[in-house]
Amino acid sequence: GLWRDVRGFRVPPPDAKLPELVEVAQVSSFAAAMAQIDRSFDHLQACRDADWSVPNEHPDLMPTQEALLLVEGLHEAGRALDPDADPELRRWLSTSEHDASRLLEALKSGGDANEIFRSIATSCKRCHQHYRDQVE
């Protein structure tokens, strides 16, 4: 809804009572979980670019730890969904959580993490296009 809201913005009249501006926006637990997922995914991309090892420019990132955070983030996002959420969204989150678990196991065992990572990236893009990036 960001593009819709920007497009629909109208300057309020000079005498309009405006809400107090705050430094930190309170977001839903689902939005917070998705933000954490996005950070973990970005960190995993850095680890992938370093051949699934600790990136030189980010010595604090461990691939297995970031994969675990991704698994947990996807799980929490599913728990934070509204009870009336689209069943397809629930299914996609569950599938992504399963794939993230597979990625974690591949990183632990030395398996092919690249293909699983690409699958997760594709799932994220599909879900974002359907639910987040819609222009109304």
Side-chain angles (χ1 to χ4, degrees):
L2 176 62
W3 299 115
R4 176 201 65 229
D5 293 346
V6 169
R7 189 173 48 251
F9 175 77
R10 302 292 178 261
V11 176
D15 60 342
K17 182 171 168 75
L18 300 175
E20 178 185 351
L21 297 178
V22 295
E23 289 183 19
V24 177
Q26 297 297 321
V27 296
S28 71
S29 53
F30 181 75
M34 293 309 291
Q36 177 58 49
I37 289 166
D38 195 39
R39 281 188 294 280
S40 295
F41 189 81
D42 288 346
H43 292 165
L44 279 166
Q45 283 180 314
C47 294
R48 180 206 56 196
D49 292 346
D51 289 329
W52 295 111
S53 63
V54 175
N56 290 333
E57 65 278 5
H58 290 286
D60 57 324
L61 300 182
M62 295 180 54
T64 54
Q65 182 64 28
E66 294 305 323
L68 177 59
L69 289 171
L70 182 63
V71 172
E72 291 174 349
L74 288 162
H75 183 78
E76 289 305 312
R79 285 178 8 115
L81 275 176
D82 185 275
D84 297 327
D86 185 352
E88 184 174 57
L89 176 59
R90 288 187 185 284
R91 196 168 40 257
W92 287 355
L93 279 172
S94 178
T95 299
S96 293
E97 180 184 352
H98 174 75
D99 287 346
S101 294
R102 289 179 43 232
L103 176 64
L104 176 59
E105 291 308 312
L107 291 171
K108 287 179 178 178
S109 68
D112 183 12
N114 288 318
E115 185 60 36
I116 301 168
F117 185 78
R118 280 191 292 274
S119 176
I120 294 169
T122 299
S123 295
C124 290
K125 286 178 188 173
R126 175 187 63 187
C127 191
H128 289 176
Q129 287 171 343
H130 189 78
Y131 292 103
R132 186 191 72 181
D133 301 337
Q134 289 183 2
V135 177
E136 297 178 13

